[in-house]
Amino acid sequence: MVNAIIIATLNARYTHASLGLRYLLANQGEWQAQTKIMEFTIAMRPLDIAEQLLIGQPRIIGLGCISGISPKPPP
C-alpha cells in the first residue's frame, strides 16, 4: 500500500507548513515511506476534505487542528 498512513491538519485561515506534521513524518521510522502529509483549511468544504483523505484508502488517518483562538480571560 503506497500511503497506508495519512497525517493531516486543518489550518484556520490559509494553508501553511505545519511543523507538527513534519516532526511526525520525520519520526515515522520504517513507516515514513508509507506516510503522506495533507493540509487543508477551514474554508474548504468538509466533503471535499473527506474525499481527498479517503481517495487513497489509507489504513490510518491522523488529523490535527489548531484554531489560533484563545479563550477569553476571566474578568
Side-chain angles (χ1 to χ4, degrees):
M1 185 174 283
V2 176
N3 292 316
I5 303 169
I6 291 178
I7 51 178
T9 190
L10 190 60
N11 296 311
R13 292 187 182 91
Y14 53 90
T15 302
H16 58 277
S18 170
L19 292 179
L21 293 183
R22 281 144 184 86
Y23 283 124
L24 285 172
L25 181 63
N27 289 286
Q28 283 293 92
E30 65 185 85
W31 293 100
Q32 190 172 18
Q34 291 86 26
T35 303
K36 178 180 180 180
I37 290 178
M38 298 181 80
E39 297 181 88
F40 306 97
T41 68
I42 60 171
M44 297 176 70
R45 291 179 2 162
L47 182 60
D48 294 338
I49 295 170
E51 286 176 348
Q52 288 183 40
L53 287 170
L54 297 173
I55 199 163
Q57 299 180 332
R59 294 188 58 147
I60 300 170
I61 296 175
L63 181 62
C65 64
I66 299 175
S67 68
I69 301 171
S70 59
K72 183 177 179 181

